Amino acid sequence: MIDGKWRLPTIQELLSVVDYTKCNPSTNIKGIKSEYYWSSSPITSDSPSVWIVNFYYGYSYDGNKSDSSYVRLCKTLQDGSLEWAKEDAPAEMTWCEAIEYAESLNENPIPTPSKPKNVSKCCTKCGSEDLKTKYVD
């Protein structure tokens, strides 16, 4: 996937930055918290769960898409290398919100998120119709 667009990393990409000789956090990536981070990888094709990584010890788990976790986006560059975002998303979010956040950065490369605004919206990625938190100007 060499398109240069921001996205959630796969479980393999998340696990590739785990340093098992460290803990709290178990990575060398600056700013990663010792918390759960979303991947784009579903547990199974029809599952409401996706793989997450807890960077306290670097273990992977199944996470329910409606839970909130941290987000660190990445993109694949033309040479095939992976570039990680310099910071986490501005807040913990559900998996659907994380997907939509990445898509919004690709639409507007210099986002200026402000306060969260609650809006009711059906998430097309996971089918949820819960109240979502969106970032608006």
Side-chain angles (χ1 to χ4, degrees), residues 14 16-34 37 55-58:
L14 267 182
S16 76
V17 297
V18 171
D19 182 345
Y20 292 105
T21 66
K22 300 178 181 254
C23 74
N24 194 19
S26 60
T27 186
N28 292 319
I29 293 185
K30 186 176 180 178
I32 293 280
K33 299 170 183 65
S34 297
Y37 281 79
F55 278 96
Y56 189 89
Y57 290 115

Side-chain angles (χ1 to χ4, degrees), residues 97 115-121 131-136:
E97 291 167 339
K115 295 181 180 178
K117 179 181 178 184
N118 287 328
V119 294
S120 180
K121 180 177 184 216
L131 196 62
K132 300 293 178 190
T133 301
K134 306 299 285 171
Y135 291 87
V136 294

